[in-house]
Amino acid sequence: MEASFFSKNQNGSLSWQVGFGEFLLVVLVLSVESLGVVPEGNESQYVTQIYKAWHTEMFANDLCYDRPCAHGLFFYATCWLGAFMSLTQIAWTLRIVSTLLLAYGWQSLSWSLVPRRYFAVFSAFLLVFFHSVTSIAGEWIWGTAEAKPFAYAFVLLALASGVRERWNRMWIFLGLASMCHILVGGWSVVALFVAWVVSRGSISLSLRRSWRGMLIGGAIALPTFLSVASINYGSLESICHAANVIYLERVPHHLILSSGDYISLAVFAVALFCTLYRSLFDNSKNLLFYWGVGTLFIAFMGQILYIGYLFAPDSFVGLLRFYWYRISSGGFLILMPIIVLEGLRRLRIDMPRVGNICTAALILVAGACIWEEGFKNIYATCTSTPDDEDPQEYADWVEACDWVEKSVPPDAIVLAPVEEPTFAWHACRPCVANWKDLPIRAVDIVEWHRRMRYICQSERVREAIKKSERGEIDILERIPREKILDVCHEFKADYILAESDAPWDFPPVFENKSYKVFAVSQQY
């Protein structure tokens, strides 16, 4: 059992009750981000991939889901849930397990740095605050059922082990993180090696003493690495290049920094410099903060590549796909709460009045943000409606998708609104294309882009989708009758699910206040 489940009382003996109570409080704090309505974020992709392992007939002709998964071992470790759970049950199960694992990792890391009672609770409070207001390159650590929360939990456990100089255990945890998500775990390893070089001997990491852990961790991560590396094996170079261009156009928020990201990274860099320069923590714990320097170095290299892309797009576009800012976002969220709390403690000692004012202000601001986030998530869960959706319209959407699931053959293809990210989740049927459901293989990405441009006629895909806000402009409803039949014929769609004001004269087979379903296989 890790020492984080224990804390010393005033008599010097270990108290598991205090440690376990602290763990439950950390779980409660972290749960604020995990209480949103299902599905949320990338759950519609991850959980549907898990579910389709036992229901392959429902997604047999789908461009996104009838394909290999980029997180192979995570997929195989969780796909058994689809044998006896619904999509919603799988999502909540993974959310709960990942939150528990993250809470344990956070408590372990907090105790390895600052062995004081309930420091982990207060630092987790700030973690939720930074997580709710800051997102470097669109990155999140937890809150939804996907591979990243599990990967970051193992990164936390790896860092806690490294601070305690348990090197073999650290490498094994990093292997588990890479198994869940190769980029999170892989970039964490790179950041650690950068930290080892930059520290100039401050870190007592010994490769000779930890070779067993490196071998075990590498063996754990190898299958996932090979599965990801082989995704585009045999694809033409021109196809891969086109897919890279499309990928950058589709997810620029993950691959290119915004002005707010630069500010966050600058704050992170200054905080790390002050921490290392002033030695806020003793030297034996510098591994964590030098690891933070390593994450900033990776982000800096990503920025160099982006500058190269501006001058030579064809040469650098493929390199930008490796999410160079992902681990710096994780480093910011992991380290800033700990640095801020320790800085406030020092400030309260040196300047009590200023320190107390800053502490009170931070508690008020963070508490207000967390309260708003928690209330919003709980309300969305109780109403089963995302916070940006009209309740009645969303209920009609779910009703229409339920009808498709019950009445449409499993092998039938549906032309559904491309801007609705939850069709596969609610309907469990293949669709022609969806803006959210981006495939992973190069050849499929190119085909996805062709379909999106065909559906959106000749307009640029990103611009068309950005304008397709709910209740403003809808893609399908702008297509005339002859063109919509041409789209269905091109992609062998048997049904159309569209808004109720669709301007076609086909007799609907289902309708409610907001949506209609048309059977069109006999129309073309």
Side-chain angles (χ1 to χ4, degrees):
M1 180 68 69
E2 287 282 339
S4 62
F5 264 16
F6 300 87
S7 60
K8 291 186 177 182
N9 60 26
Q10 295 179 351
N11 298 325
S13 59
L14 292 173
S15 172
W16 71 268
Q17 293 94 338
V18 173
F20 187 69
E22 180 186 78
F23 169 74
L24 293 180
L25 288 175
V26 174
V27 172
L28 181 63
V29 172
L30 296 186
S31 296
V32 170
E33 291 282 7
S34 304
L35 295 176
V37 66
V38 174
E40 192 172 61
N42 294 324
E43 284 178 335
S44 58
Q45 288 186 318
Y46 275 90
V47 180
T48 305
Q49 282 280 2
I50 293 170
Y51 188 74
K52 67 107 176 178
W54 293 89
H55 306 84
T56 54
E57 73 284 352
M58 295 182 178
F59 304 96
N61 299 315
D62 194 274
L63 184 63
C64 180
Y65 298 107
D66 188 26
R67 296 296 184 270
C69 181
H71 310 290
L73 285 184
F74 172 80
F75 171 75
Y76 291 118
T78 56
C79 67
W80 56 274
L81 296 172
F84 56 92
M85 288 186 180
S86 66
L87 286 161
T88 301
Q89 291 170 339
I90 295 172
W92 279 110
T93 300
L94 294 180
R95 282 190 188 186
I96 292 171
V97 174
S98 64
T99 301
L100 292 173
L101 193 58
L102 277 162
Y104 178 61
W106 186 258
Q107 189 188 33
S108 296
L109 181 60
S110 295
W111 267 92
S112 67
L113 287 167
V114 185
R116 291 196 296 270
R117 290 183 183 180
Y118 302 113
F119 180 86
V121 179
F122 293 110
S123 59
F125 181 78
L126 287 185
L127 172 64
V128 174
F129 168 65
F130 283 118
H131 195 259
S132 62
V133 300
T134 306
S135 172
I136 298 175
E139 177 72 352
W140 303 102
I141 288 184
W142 86 99
T144 59
E146 50 182 292
K148 277 190 300 184
F150 290 90
Y152 275 113
F154 287 123
V155 168
L156 291 174
L157 290 170
L159 294 174
S161 299
V163 170
R164 298 189 184 106
E165 300 186 1
R166 298 173 181 175
W167 308 120
N168 283 299
R169 185 178 297 182
M170 179 190 71
W171 291 116
I172 292 173
F173 281 134
L174 287 175
L176 290 169
S178 302
M179 179 200 75
C180 294
H181 200 293
I182 194 64
L183 286 177
V184 172
W187 280 133
S188 296
V189 172
V190 174
L192 187 63
F193 277 110
V194 174
W196 188 35
V197 173
V198 173
S199 68
R200 297 181 180 181
S202 297
I203 300 174
S204 59
L205 173 61
S206 172
L207 301 182
R208 182 176 300 176
R209 287 189 298 162
S210 60
W211 64 270
R212 294 181 182 86
M214 294 182 70
L215 285 179
I216 296 173
I220 293 172
L222 184 60
T224 299
F225 173 79
L226 292 177
S227 66
V228 173
S230 63
I231 285 175
N232 291 324
Y233 179 77
S235 298
L236 295 175
E237 183 178 349
S238 59
I239 295 294
C240 292
H241 176 74
N244 291 331
V245 174
I246 295 167
Y247 199 88
L248 180 60
E249 182 181 284
R250 169 61 182 83
V251 289
H253 54 287
H254 287 312
L255 309 181
I256 300 174
L257 292 179
S258 66
S259 57
D261 295 334
Y262 288 116
I263 295 174
S264 297
L265 288 176
V267 171
F268 186 30
V270 171
L272 280 177
F273 174 80
C274 294
T275 299
L276 293 169
Y277 181 74
R278 297 295 302 274
S279 298
L280 292 180
F281 301 83
D282 62 69
N283 290 333
S284 66
K285 297 166 183 176
N286 276 351
L287 173 139
L288 178 63
F289 303 103
Y290 279 118
W291 176 82
V293 173
T295 67
L296 285 174
F297 175 79
I298 295 170
F300 176 75
M301 293 303 299
Q303 189 62 21
I304 294 296
L305 291 174
Y306 176 62
I307 295 173
Y309 165 78
L310 295 178
F311 291 95
D314 291 343
S315 301
F316 289 89
V317 66
L319 295 173
L320 290 179
R321 280 195 63 177
F322 291 101
Y323 288 75
W324 294 84
Y325 311 108
R326 167 159 283 166
I327 200 62
S328 62
S329 182
F332 177 93
L333 293 172
I334 291 169
L335 295 181
M336 285 301 293
I338 298 171
I339 294 174
V340 168
L341 278 185
E342 188 62 14
L344 285 175
R345 188 183 73 84
R346 297 292 183 96
L347 186 61
R348 293 176 66 189
I349 294 174
D350 299 336
M351 305 173 64
R353 179 174 297 179
V354 175
N356 289 333
I357 292 174
C358 292
T359 302
L362 180 62
I363 291 174
L364 288 175
V365 173
C369 290
I370 293 174
W371 174 264
E372 180 185 9
E373 185 76 10
F375 178 80
K376 179 181 68 176
N377 288 337
I378 293 173
Y379 177 79
T381 301
C382 293
T383 59
S384 299
T385 306
D387 60 347
D388 59 344
E389 294 277 2
D390 176 78
Q392 181 58 52
E393 188 172 0
Y394 188 75
D396 290 342
W397 166 253
V398 174
E399 182 186 18
C401 291
D402 287 343
W403 183 91
V404 171
E405 181 182 10
K406 296 174 182 176
S407 306
V408 171
D411 59 345
I413 299 176
V414 180
L415 177 60
V418 295
E419 71 275 8
E420 287 285 1
T422 61
F423 173 78
W425 177 283
H426 292 300
C428 292
R429 291 294 183 271
C431 67
V432 173
N434 186 277
W435 177 250
K436 179 68 174 177
D437 294 343
L438 182 67
I440 59 173
R441 294 194 308 187
V443 63
D444 295 329
I445 292 175
V446 172
E447 172 61 18
W448 170 88
H449 187 257
R450 184 181 79 87
R451 295 186 181 192
M452 291 298 299
R453 293 200 53 110
Y454 203 98
I455 293 171
C456 298
Q457 302 176 68
S458 62
E459 301 178 31
R460 290 184 59 82
V461 175
R462 274 189 63 204
E463 294 172 357
I465 298 299
K466 285 173 67 176
K467 294 177 181 178
S468 64
E469 302 289 342
R470 300 290 315 140
E472 294 183 12
I473 301 176
D474 296 291
I475 300 297
L476 295 184
E477 286 69 29
R478 292 184 295 161
I479 305 176
R481 185 183 192 279
E482 295 74 17
K483 179 65 178 179
I484 200 72
L485 288 178
D486 183 44
V487 171
C488 293
H489 180 265
E490 175 69 18
F491 303 115
K492 300 179 174 58
D494 303 295
Y495 293 85
I496 302 174
L497 171 56
E499 296 275 355
S500 58
D501 58 352
W504 315 310
D505 56 1
F506 316 129
V509 293
F510 169 85
E511 63 179 312
N512 55 29
K513 292 182 179 179
S514 304
Y515 293 93
K516 292 180 180 179
V517 179
F518 305 94
V520 295
S521 57
Q522 303 300 321
Q523 300 290 331
Y524 59 84

